[in-house]
Amino acid sequence: MDRLKEDSSISLKDQVKKIIRDEIIMNKLKPGERIVETEVAKRLGISQVPVREALRGLEEEGLIRTVKYKGAFVTEINKTEMYHIFSLRASIETEAIEIITPNLTNQKLGVLYDIVEQMKNEKPDYLLQAKLDMEFHRTIIAWAEIATFDRIWSMLNSHIQRYITILNPEIRILPEEVHTYHLELVEVLKQKDIQRSKEVFRQHIMKMVL
């Protein structure tokens, strides 16, 4: 039970859901693989109830599917669906940009510059790049202060991270390119040209599936 926090404010169900979600995203649980409740419960040292609840939540997110009399399985990746997932994420982010741009201060730009600076890495580090990329875009979503945006973006991002992980290194971007691309995004935001910012962000997001 060392992976679960007994005194956490996060429910046991949500902790289990995060563990399984992370394993799906990192391709430790592969598309089509069956997830056995009893095995997960035994591995984590808990009852089957929070595991069952976690799987139900992940099914709602589209990361697993339940087959009657057979159990829960990791969903396959459908490239057509992934295109629409990326497109929806781009729509959410560009709407967020329209909201935040009029009140975009130098202090907020500084926050983004700090994240981008951390992306400078001579050694390839996929996990670090993925974490910083998510932090960069999530920060923009958070500034919009639209709870629905944050909730949907988080769900979509799980699918996107998984897609990139499985196709890596086929679509992998070099660490120095990650830094360069995101630095350009901040520079565009700095100009406060809403339409230009929206166009550049959409291109940045969609290039993974085009």
Side-chain angles (χ1 to χ4, degrees):
M1 198 169 172
D2 56 339
R3 298 178 68 183
L4 300 175
K5 299 177 182 179
E6 296 183 18
D7 299 323
S8 173
S9 58
I10 303 174
S11 69
L12 192 57
K13 172 199 72 176
D14 286 338
Q15 291 185 62
V16 175
K17 186 162 67 172
K18 183 181 186 307
I19 288 171
I20 298 174
R21 183 193 294 115
D22 288 347
E23 290 176 347
I24 292 173
I25 289 172
M26 296 312 300
N27 205 31
K28 292 180 180 178
L29 288 171
K30 302 183 184 302
E33 184 172 343
R34 185 184 176 197
I35 302 175
V36 182
E37 280 184 24
T38 53
E39 292 179 0
V40 175
K42 183 178 180 180
R43 171 160 61 96
L44 299 179
I46 57 177
S47 73
Q48 286 180 236
V49 174
V51 177
R52 188 175 304 119
E53 292 174 342
L55 292 176
R56 190 177 299 119
L58 290 170
E59 184 169 24
E60 291 175 357
E61 293 180 18
L63 290 172
I64 72 162
R65 62 185 178 87
T66 300
V67 181
K68 196 171 183 179
Y69 305 124
K70 292 185 178 180
F73 297 83
V74 179
T75 54
E76 303 285 350
I77 288 181
N78 181 300
K79 287 195 174 183
T80 299
E81 185 176 2
M82 285 308 307
Y83 172 84
H84 292 293
I85 286 174
F86 273 88
S87 182
L88 184 53
R89 175 183 159 177
S91 296
I92 290 172
E93 289 200 27
T94 52
E95 285 296 315
I97 285 168
E98 186 161 355
I99 292 170
I100 71 169
T101 297
N103 300 311
L104 199 55
T105 63
N106 288 333
Q107 182 179 9
K108 286 184 175 181
L109 288 169
V111 171
L112 296 179
Y113 276 124
D114 287 344
I115 296 172
V116 172
E117 184 64 23
Q118 294 177 63
M119 292 177 177
K120 281 186 177 178
N121 192 346
E122 294 180 1
K123 296 181 180 179
D125 189 336
Y126 171 73
L127 291 177
L128 176 61
Q129 295 290 2
K131 179 182 177 182
L132 292 171
D133 177 82
M134 183 172 70
E135 183 182 352
F136 180 93
H137 291 277
R138 185 184 291 278
T139 298
I140 291 171
I141 295 297
W143 286 340
E145 298 183 339
I146 306 293
T148 303
F149 283 4
D150 187 66
R151 184 169 59 253
I152 297 175
W153 185 92
S154 296
M155 183 181 71
L156 297 174
N157 201 57
S158 294
H159 289 272
I160 288 171
Q161 283 185 288
R162 177 190 178 210
Y163 173 77
I164 294 173
T165 299
I166 290 176
L167 290 185
N168 186 48
E170 181 182 334
I171 61 172
R172 188 172 183 174
I173 300 172
L174 296 174
E176 59 270 22
E177 292 177 330
V178 173
H179 171 264
T180 300
Y181 290 153
H182 286 83
L183 183 59
E184 291 173 354
L185 294 179
V186 184
E187 293 294 334
V188 168
L189 287 174
K190 188 176 180 180
Q191 297 170 18
K192 293 194 174 183
D193 182 332
I194 294 176
Q195 290 307 314
R196 176 62 178 156
S197 295
K198 291 171 71 172
E199 289 171 8
V200 172
F201 267 77
R202 175 170 287 279
Q203 290 171 6
H204 170 77
I205 294 167
M206 295 304 295
K207 70 177 179 287
M208 290 294 187
V209 287
L210 294 178

